[in-house]
């Protein structure tokens, strides 16, 4: 756990995306009641594929970013989820997610880390599951007027030799994510 926490602290300490992103993941939402339409844009790492409309829709999320071919396996896939703002705070969102995860895996270890995002408050939960799978989840709040909250998540095998590089790529996507009111393409 200490090694994972050390790697995560280094990865989550970053505040800027180095260099220009070679691609961009875009997810949009239509106006819905009191929620205005929205657009989220995130940099896509070189060699990764962004998808909002085929695989993402098939698994019920707003966007996925993956390397190589789509396999349907959850490992090494960055997943964007957007939902209507219902809980009172970002802390409440994290607490609810932590409780759900620990109900499924009471032996899991959970760490919480701040994420320095320039455009919105974000916090991370990192789960070390008893199944030897680690899950990093970053919750962000683009503001009350947006009517939404969002999360980026990624699962990887505990012994993955590329864990540090994967977390670095994941955090570049997270801190590079930008919210804008209104739908665009």
């Amino acid at each position: 756990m200490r090694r994972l926490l050390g790697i995560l602290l280094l990865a989550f300490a970053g505040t800027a995306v180095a260099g220009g992103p070679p691609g961009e993941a875009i997810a949009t939402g239509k106006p819905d009641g009191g929620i205005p339409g929205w657009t989220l844009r995130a940099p896509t790492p070189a060699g990764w594929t962004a998808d909002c409309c085929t695989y993402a829709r098939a698994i019920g999320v707003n966007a996925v970013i993956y390397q190589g071919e789509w396999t349907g396996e959850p490992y090494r896939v960055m997943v964007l989820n957007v939902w209507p703002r219902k809980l009172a705070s970002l802390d409440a969102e994290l607490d609810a997610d932590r409780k759900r995860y620990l109900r499924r895996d009471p032996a899991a270890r959970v760490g919480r880390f701040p994420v320095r995002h320039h455009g919105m408050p974000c916090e991370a939960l990192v789960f070390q599951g008893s199944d030897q799978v680690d899950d990093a989840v970053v919750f962000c709040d683009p503001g009350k007027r947006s009517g939404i909250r969002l999360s980026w998540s990624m699962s990887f095998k505990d012994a993955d030799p590329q864990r540090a590089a994967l977390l670095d790529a994941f955090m570049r996507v997270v801190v590079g994510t930008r919210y804008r009111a209104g739908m665009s393409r």
Side-chain angles (χ1 to χ4, degrees), residues 96-168:
D97 194 59
R98 182 185 58 77
K99 286 177 181 175
R100 274 190 302 271
Y101 193 97
L102 290 174
R103 266 195 302 273
R104 287 192 320 263
D105 186 356
R109 294 184 190 183
V110 182
R112 183 173 172 173
F113 303 92
V115 174
R116 293 184 207 144
H117 189 292
H118 293 294
M120 62 186 115
C122 296
E123 290 280 334
L125 290 175
V126 179
F127 301 98
Q128 260 191 316
S130 62
D131 59 358
Q132 305 303 309
V133 174
D134 297 337
D135 296 290
V137 185
V138 180
F139 290 84
C140 298
D141 186 351
K144 189 173 185 174
R145 294 177 78 195
S146 73
I148 62 169
R149 291 223 170 88
L150 64 107
S151 70
W152 278 104
S153 62
M154 185 172 67
S155 298
F156 48 97
K157 294 180 181 176
D158 187 39
D160 192 322
Q162 293 186 7
R163 179 173 44 207
L166 291 167
L167 285 168
D168 183 53

Side-chain angles (χ1 to χ4, degrees), residues 16-180:
V17 177
E24 190 173 51
I26 301 171
T28 60
K30 295 178 183 177
D32 184 14
I35 301 170
W38 52 267
T39 300
L40 292 168
R41 294 177 178 272
T44 302
W48 291 66
T49 301
D51 171 80
C52 70
C53 306
T54 303
Y55 302 120
R57 280 191 186 141
I59 63 172
V61 300
N62 299 91
V64 292
I65 301 175
Y66 58 93
Q67 282 182 304
E69 297 296 319
W70 178 259
T71 66
E73 291 290 321
Y75 311 113
R76 297 182 173 196
V77 176
M78 299 178 204
V79 177
L80 173 66
N81 279 299
V82 181
W83 62 93
R85 177 187 197 92
K86 291 181 182 169
L87 298 179
S89 67
L90 197 56
D91 282 339
E93 297 284 0
L94 273 78
D95 192 47
D97 194 59
R98 182 185 58 77
K99 286 177 181 175
R100 274 190 302 271
Y101 193 97
L102 290 174
R103 266 195 302 273
R104 287 192 320 263
D105 186 356
R109 294 184 190 183
V110 182
R112 183 173 172 173
F113 303 92
V115 174
R116 293 184 207 144
H117 189 292
H118 293 294
M120 62 186 115
C122 296
E123 290 280 334
L125 290 175
V126 179
F127 301 98
Q128 260 191 316
S130 62
D131 59 358
Q132 305 303 309
V133 174
D134 297 337
D135 296 290
V137 185
V138 180
F139 290 84
C140 298
D141 186 351
K144 189 173 185 174
R145 294 177 78 195
S146 73
I148 62 169
R149 291 223 170 88
L150 64 107
S151 70
W152 278 104
S153 62
M154 185 172 67
S155 298
F156 48 97
K157 294 180 181 176
D158 187 39
D160 192 322
Q162 293 186 7
R163 179 173 44 207
L166 291 167
L167 285 168
D168 183 53
F170 176 69
M171 287 312 300
R172 289 176 187 276
V173 169
V174 170
V175 300
T177 300
R178 299 290 174 249
Y179 164 83
R180 187 176 78 71

